[in-house]
Amino acid sequence: MMSARNFPKRMFLPSVLLAALIIIPFSAPLITAEDPIKIAVRYRLAAPDLQHWLGRDEFGRDRLARVLHGGQVSLTVAFVATTIACIIGTFFGLIGAYFRGPSEFITSRLSDIVLCFPPILLALLVVTLFGPGAGTLVAVLSVLYFPTFARITFSEALRVTSLDFVEASRALGTPSRRIVLGTILPNIAGPLSVQYSLTAAAAITIESGLSFLGLGVVPPAPSWGQMIRGARQFMNQDPLGIMIPCAALVLTIYAINFFCDRLRDTLDPKGASGSGMDEVSKPLALADAPAIKDPDVVAVINKLRLETARFGTSAAVIEDVSLTLRANQCTALVGESGSGKSLSSLALMGLLPGAIRQASGTLQLRRKTGEVVDLGFLDARTLEDIRGNDIAMIFQEPMTSLNPIHKISDQMIEAIQAHRPMSKSDARAHAVQLLKRVGMNDAEQRIDSYPDQMSGGMRQRVMIGMALSCEPRLLIADEPTTALDVTIQAEIIQLLQTLRQDQGTGLSLLFISHNLGVVADIADRVAVMYSGQIVEEGPADQILRDPHHPYTRALIESMPSSHEGLHSAGGDRLPAISGTPPLPSARPSGCTFRDRCPIAVHACAEIRPALYPSADGGRAVRCLRAPEAPAGLMNHQTEAA
Amino acid sequence: MTAAPLLDVQNLEKSYSIGRSGLFSKRSLKVLHDVSFSVAPGEVLGLVGESGSGKSTIGRAILRLIDSQSDVMRFGGQDLNSISPARMRILRKEMQIIFQDPYASLDPRKTIRAVLSEALDAHGLHQGAARGPRLIELVTLVGLDPSFLDRRPHEFSGGQRQRIGIARALAVEPSFIVCDEAVSALDVSIQAQVLNLLADLRAKTGVSLLFISHDLSVVRYISDRVMVLYLGRVMEVGPADRVHFSPKHPYTAALVSAEPSLHRENRRIRLTGEIPSPLALPSGCIFRSRCPYAQPACAETVPPLQTVGDQHQSACLRTDIL
């Protein structure tokens, strides 16, 4: 929670507004000395004057005094009732969700019963039975609103209870009471505070509504509903009379909502992430891209630089990334999380997140027609046409990319028809054809099943089939096997291999993965990324068998499968890289890997290494100490030694 | 094993009820069948299997985080099947868990100090003035800076969070930790750091681990013995290197050969078909529907675990093939 010391700035305005709305009615005696119930029929509906700022009502009572004193009643009733409802509801919800069993039954059935009554009818019933008055109102409103709190608490607490950190608390032997109040309750405070604001606002309106019907606060005691009721009859002669209590109602409800919205953001430990609006990335026009001459080349990324466009300062997330993707070739982009491998591929799809913009470099693609386009220049319409048609993509978790409420057949037919004008039955036949191609047995029947009726491996096959529906020239596979079991992973790799070989047009596969073993299985060329740069690139067998960059070497070395002789019981340790990759905003000078590099020298801090090509041009490495680095650069090396 | 086991589990079963098939009969889904194993003090037992094999369920059943049925479940001489909730709460000091997802396993609202203090408070350890030094000792032990204590989880990377999760488990000085896919979500370079940390802790504190993972190479490196599960049944159990390099069960062999590796020739045993639904398991050996060596006899009896070497057991009728 926030302490008074670091009171968040964004809470200031709503707090002041809410405090004012609560304090002003309760300091009514300081503002006006008028009695809210003193009748002076002589002055009925008198216009505002210096003594009576808001004029007088139909009985000549001072309106200012009435709206202030009425506010006291309305606010007290609403807040007391909401607070009682909140406490009782939260209590039932928490108990039900944490202990389950009979307490869950009681909570949900009790809520169901109360929720079955239309609120106004229930209120009318109780008020008729027990007579009107503020006390009855509080009781009615609390009973009315506690089920919503119980429901929300229950479902939210159920969600939180299933999280690992609650399980960890249980495993630690923390008493249940402490887990419920100390761990679960703070984590559901956000939705609860929103519900509180909605309920308080609703309670004020219901109170006003009941008072308006004459079932709430007993006249002549003032309340906002009472005032509306009285003023209604004279609306034509005296519109001010009805506007005053209405304005008071609107203002109060707005202040409460405003306050609770901000409170929810403040309670979120990560803090609200800015305005929530992304800056629109604008393509950068760079005309000096070299033309692709080789007809085998499907796409070229040239000196791509991507920057974050948030908070005024721009940090480069991708620096100087160049890649050539050829037909019939599989290029693997390898790296750890945050290295920028997925961003590079999203740039190719024209799907960069709004907060990232392309600062320089070019992305060129040869379309199926043979035309070479620069993806940075294209309008959204053309990009849409390219996606799916020329470039297709498959993702890590096929379940999130498939719509769970539609059959596979409908989703595939829609995808096919989006790019190819054909009848539904033709599209369906084509879809069955595709599923057979990706190795699905009895595709004719299984095409009509829903995604959740399939295993993870089968869903990934469906995704691959859909991606192939328009015979793209470039297939981007972003960690396509990471979520799958090893035996299934082996099958999918096998499938991708076959598809690449038998696609007529010559498919280029860009395979993104953190798993070097998988990469060794499938890739022809490998590009290793670290901290937004490609640090080593070349033929897969060369790079993986004889890495020249210390990071590639360390990555291979830290895999347990590289050390079949090592065993923890024998006291063996794995050769690990110390430290963690730097954040894009805090990359070291010179080489970005030097902080963690076992062979770094002084020069590494001063020179930002470029990607130095080998003599035959087959591979390249971004390291001053690699055999490919030009000799002149290493003058500093002797110092270090 | 000569020493008395720290943990002894016999015939562990777990089923979930999934609605009703008739008016009175409840349908149930059995996710663990007759699993027996023991863990010696200081031993690391690896548990491998694909999704749905029940490996995480075993970990949670031992910690009594979920209900299960077993003939024997003893930990440090105490019978977990008949233990009172109060005694169990005290016993929790001895058995801890490290989770897979470093993002879900820490309360986003608590500082690291609060997370670790909760562990100590639960058992009344290091109260008062001793608290501060102990917290610093814990974060240093897992390779973090003491200045991190007053930060919240979202300020840390995945690897750092995992270290905090390990520190929480270590805070109460347990003698047994369930590591449930504890390194699976980490990047390779960080995974090696955390594995080294676990190996060091094991050497330093003599803690026993139940190491659950789907990554065979990781399990081989860290474990003394490995148990291979398929759809809730034990397929093979034995010394780590033996299970990995000369598996006796066709499923283990397929699993090892399917694992992508930079260094091994790929003599892949290809499995056909999909993992059967737990609601419609094959009769006899549950692996037979995907097994390249299955015979008619495999459909008739559930193969028992047979000794195939020193401390090495395999549940396969076809002892002639591997």
Side-chain angles (χ1 to χ4, degrees):
Chain A
M1 294 302 121
M2 294 291 162
S3 67
R5 232 174 340 111
N6 49 15
F7 189 79
K9 228 184 228 160
R10 63 163 164 264
M11 287 303 294
F12 185 73
L13 188 63
S15 306
V16 168
L17 199 59
L18 187 66
L21 274 158
I22 292 171
I23 293 167
I24 291 173
F26 286 94
S27 50
L30 301 176
I31 299 168
T32 171
E34 293 293 325
D35 185 346
I37 53 173
K38 199 183 113 197
I39 296 177
V41 187
R42 209 147 52 94
Y43 301 110
R44 68 194 294 262
L45 302 178
D49 56 43
L50 278 178
Q51 275 264 277
H52 308 276
W53 297 345
L54 297 177
R56 291 164 179 254
D57 72 359
E58 69 276 13
F59 292 110
R61 296 174 293 202
D62 180 59
R63 275 197 194 121
L64 180 64
R66 278 187 76 75
V67 82
L68 291 177
H69 287 273
Q72 288 178 11
V73 179
S74 295
L75 288 173
T76 312
V77 167
F79 278 106
V80 170
T82 311
T83 309
I84 293 175
C86 180
I87 292 170
I88 297 176
T90 310
F91 174 79
F92 273 107
L94 281 174
I95 300 277
Y98 187 75
F99 295 102
R100 309 298 298 272
S103 33
E104 176 185 350
F105 181 82
I106 292 174
T107 298
S108 52
R109 291 298 159 267
L110 205 61
S111 314
D112 288 348
I113 290 168
V114 178
L115 285 175
C116 281
F117 282 101
I120 281 283
L121 279 190
L122 185 68
L124 282 174
L125 186 76
V126 176
V127 173
T128 320
L129 284 177
F130 296 98
T136 321
L137 268 180
V138 168
V140 169
L141 293 175
S142 319
V143 171
L144 265 183
Y145 289 127
F146 97 85
T148 33
F149 281 104
R151 277 288 179 89
I152 287 200
T153 312
F154 180 72
S155 61
E156 281 295 301
L158 215 53
R159 179 183 61 82
V160 175
T161 306
S162 67
L163 291 178
D164 283 349
F165 62 80
V166 176
E167 197 137 275
S169 291
R170 286 174 60 206
L172 281 172
T174 307
S176 302
R177 184 177 45 86
R178 277 234 291 271
I179 297 180
V180 170
L181 296 180
T183 304
I184 299 180
L185 189 58
N187 275 294
I188 62 170
L192 269 185
S193 68
V194 172
Q195 185 57 35
Y196 188 92
S197 80
L198 292 174
T199 309
I204 291 179
T205 29
I206 288 249
E207 184 279 325
S208 304
L210 288 175
S211 299
F212 175 81
L213 294 173
L215 296 165
V217 176
V218 195
S223 93
W224 290 342
Q226 289 279 351
M227 292 180 69
I228 298 175
R229 184 187 190 194
R232 188 185 55 114
Q233 304 159 26
F234 306 95
M235 244 163 66
N236 290 334
Q237 307 146 265
D238 179 42
L240 186 66
I242 200 155
M243 273 156 67
I244 291 166
C246 287
L249 266 176
V250 169
L251 249 170
T252 312
I253 292 169
Y254 173 74
I256 298 171
N257 285 348
F258 188 34
F259 179 82
C260 287
D261 265 4
R262 291 286 174 94
L263 183 68
R264 183 200 51 200
D265 291 348
T266 311
L267 286 177
D268 186 348
K270 291 182 221 55
S273 44
S275 60
M277 290 281 280
D278 285 336
E279 236 173 275
V280 180
S281 74
K282 270 217 188 82
L284 200 89
L286 283 178
D288 58 349
I292 311 181
K293 295 210 181 70
D294 190 344
D296 241 13
V297 172
V298 175
V300 174
I301 304 178
N302 190 34
K303 297 198 170 131
L304 181 68
R305 183 185 169 90
L306 301 177
E307 290 179 350
T308 51
R310 276 250 171 92
F311 311 123
T313 58
S314 63
V317 278
I318 297 278
E319 263 178 82
D320 187 23
V321 164
S322 300
L323 263 188
T324 303
L325 307 174
R326 291 168 187 279
N328 290 315
Q329 202 175 53
C330 172
T331 309
L333 212 50
V334 185
E336 299 182 281
S337 43
S339 61
K341 50 190 195 309
S342 290
L343 271 182
S344 309
S345 67
L346 288 176
L348 263 182
M349 292 284 280
L351 287 175
L352 281 179
I356 305 279
R357 79 191 175 92
Q358 185 184 335
S360 62
T362 50
L363 296 154
Q364 287 169 294
L365 176 81
R366 184 188 299 278
R367 298 199 62 175
K368 279 194 281 194
T369 52
E371 174 199 7
V372 175
V373 290
D374 191 325
L375 293 167
F377 286 115
L378 298 177
D379 55 279
R381 228 6 217 294
T382 326
L383 269 176
E384 251 166 52
D385 186 43
I386 284 179
R387 275 180 231 136
N389 221 343
D390 297 278
I391 314 179
M393 192 159 184
I394 49 176
F395 299 93
Q396 176 173 343
E397 182 34 80
M399 196 62 206
T400 52
S401 338
L402 287 170
N403 189 335
I405 62 164
H406 291 300
K407 287 178 183 167
I408 300 291
S409 52
D410 296 340
Q411 299 188 49
M412 289 191 75
I413 290 168
E414 196 194 319
I416 293 168
Q417 285 181 325
H419 289 285
R420 287 185 176 187
M422 57 165 76
S423 74
K424 202 171 167 190
S425 59
D426 285 350
R428 188 186 159 90
H430 185 51
V432 170
Q433 213 53 46
L434 285 168
L435 290 182
K436 284 186 175 157
R437 227 177 115 200
V438 296
M440 186 177 284
N441 302 325
D442 38 273
E444 286 90 348
Q445 284 85 49
R446 300 189 71 176
I447 193 171
D448 282 317
S449 44
Y450 289 91
D452 60 84
Q453 295 170 320
M454 296 186 155
S455 66
M458 273 303 148
R459 285 197 289 259
Q460 197 58 286
R461 283 175 196 268
V462 171
M463 283 310 296
I464 297 171
M466 281 169 85
L468 294 178
S469 62
C470 296
E471 309 233 320
R473 296 208 67 196
L474 175 60
L475 178 62
I476 302 175
D478 191 350
E479 305 263 7
T481 61
T482 306
L484 305 175
D485 286 322
V486 275
T487 53
I488 310 296
Q489 165 173 287
E491 289 177 31
I492 297 289
I493 298 287
Q494 184 69 46
L495 170 67
L496 287 173
Q497 283 288 37
T498 348
L499 289 175
R500 196 155 64 82
Q501 279 147 15
D502 65 29
Q503 170 127 341
T505 50
L507 183 72
S508 175
L509 183 60
L510 178 61
F511 192 90
I512 298 162
S513 180
H514 70 282
N515 188 330
L516 292 170
V518 173
V519 167
D521 261 6
I522 194 167
D524 303 308
R525 290 188 75 82
V526 172
V528 182
M529 289 197 76
Y530 180 78
S531 195
Q533 293 179 320
I534 290 180
V535 293
E536 186 160 16
E537 201 262 334
D541 51 338
Q542 280 184 34
I543 301 287
L544 297 177
R545 204 169 305 141
D546 176 28
H548 285 180
H549 196 283
Y551 175 66
T552 319
R553 208 175 301 143
L555 211 52
I556 294 171
E557 282 291 299
S558 46
M559 290 164 50
S561 62
S562 303
H563 307 281
E564 304 208 311
L566 293 190
H567 204 290
S568 76
D572 297 328
R573 306 183 93 243
L574 295 168
I577 318 174
S578 60
T580 47
L583 291 173
S585 53
R587 288 186 185 141
S589 68
C591 170
T592 49
F593 186 59
R594 69 176 164 90
D595 287 351
R596 306 174 69 195
C597 180
I599 57 164
V601 290
H602 283 320
C604 299
E606 285 154 27
I607 305 167
R608 193 92 161 178
L611 208 51
Y612 308 118
S614 64
D616 63 355
R619 60 190 291 181
V621 59
R622 193 185 292 274
C623 176
L624 296 179
R625 303 208 56 190
E628 288 86 351
L633 285 172
M634 290 302 295
N635 293 334
H636 297 70
Q637 194 187 341
T638 38
E639 283 172 43
Chain B
M1 241 148 294
T2 45
L6 177 68
L7 174 73
D8 187 20
V9 177
Q10 299 295 330
N11 309 90
L12 177 64
E13 312 228 313
K14 168 74 192 170
S15 26
Y16 291 100
S17 79
I18 45 159
R20 291 159 194 278
S21 55
L23 191 55
F24 298 106
S25 60
K26 273 192 179 169
R27 284 172 80 203
S28 70
L29 177 71
K30 209 164 174 185
V31 294
L32 287 180
H33 306 258
D34 197 16
V35 175
S36 304
F37 62 95
S38 63
V39 181
E43 187 187 33
V44 180
L45 175 66
L47 223 52
V48 291
E50 298 180 282
S51 45
S53 63
K55 49 192 195 307
S56 293
T57 311
I58 292 181
R60 282 170 166 73
I62 296 167
L63 293 179
R64 286 275 175 231
L65 293 172
I66 53 171
D67 291 328
S68 61
Q69 302 81 45
S70 60
D71 291 349
V72 178
M73 195 189 281
R74 298 179 70 81
F75 178 84
Q78 304 211 48
D79 185 357
L80 297 188
N81 280 331
S82 61
I83 196 167
S84 71
R87 291 291 297 276
M88 187 62 211
R89 212 178 74 69
I90 297 166
L91 195 62
R92 289 200 180 285
K93 184 189 153 324
E94 292 302 319
M95 39 206 317
Q96 280 302 306
I97 181 164
I98 302 168
F99 295 91
Q100 167 174 14
D101 183 354
Y103 292 85
S105 61
L106 295 175
D107 186 342
R109 287 170 194 284
K110 287 185 181 151
T111 60
I112 308 316
R113 185 184 298 280
V115 167
L116 298 179
S117 292
E118 180 188 343
L120 297 174
D121 284 337
H123 298 281
L125 301 169
H126 303 274
Q127 300 290 343
R131 176 60 54 87
R134 173 63 177 161
L135 294 180
I136 291 171
E137 185 189 332
L138 277 171
V139 286
T140 329
L141 184 66
V142 296
L144 294 176
D145 195 274
S147 68
F148 287 2
L149 273 173
D150 290 305
R151 299 204 197 158
R152 269 171 241 271
H154 68 90
E155 297 175 59
F156 297 106
S157 69
Q160 289 170 325
R161 287 172 190 230
Q162 201 59 316
R163 285 164 189 269
I164 297 163
I166 294 174
R168 170 176 58 195
L170 291 172
V172 294
E173 294 167 49
S175 49
F176 174 72
I177 304 180
V178 173
C179 302
D180 188 1
E181 301 272 9
V183 297
S184 308
L186 305 177
D187 278 321
V188 192
S189 69
I190 311 298
Q191 172 178 296
Q193 294 174 4
V194 173
L195 282 174
N196 281 339
L197 172 65
L198 287 173
D200 291 348
L201 290 171
R202 173 191 182 187
K204 219 182 282 177
T205 62
V207 65
S208 297
L209 303 179
L210 183 69
F211 195 93
I212 301 168
S213 177
H214 66 276
D215 188 325
L216 292 118
S217 294
V218 167
V219 169
R220 189 211 57 78
Y221 164 71
I222 196 93
S223 313
D224 298 307
R225 286 190 305 135
V226 171
M227 184 156 93
V228 182
L229 290 162
Y230 180 72
L231 286 170
R233 281 214 182 115
V234 180
M235 297 284 107
E236 183 167 3
V237 55
D241 283 350
R242 294 270 289 284
V243 170
H244 196 84
F245 297 121
S246 53
K248 293 288 178 224
H249 195 286
Y251 177 63
T252 319
L255 215 52
V256 175
S257 80
E259 196 190 28
S261 165
L262 285 178
H263 312 277
R264 231 176 305 122
E265 270 308 298
N266 276 320
R267 43 183 168 73
R268 187 153 286 165
I269 302 173
R270 286 204 62 190
L271 296 181
T272 49
E274 291 176 54
I275 301 179
S277 153
L279 285 170
L281 290 178
S283 66
C285 171
I286 43 170
F287 182 57
R288 73 179 164 84
S289 62
R290 297 174 76 202
C291 181
Y293 309 110
Q295 288 179 325
C298 299
E300 278 150 31
T301 46
V302 177
L305 273 174
Q306 305 171 47
T307 302
V308 291
D310 182 27
Q311 291 190 51
H312 194 166
Q313 293 174 303
S314 162
C316 181
L317 292 179
R318 301 208 52 188
T319 46
D320 51 321
I321 39 148
L322 285 166

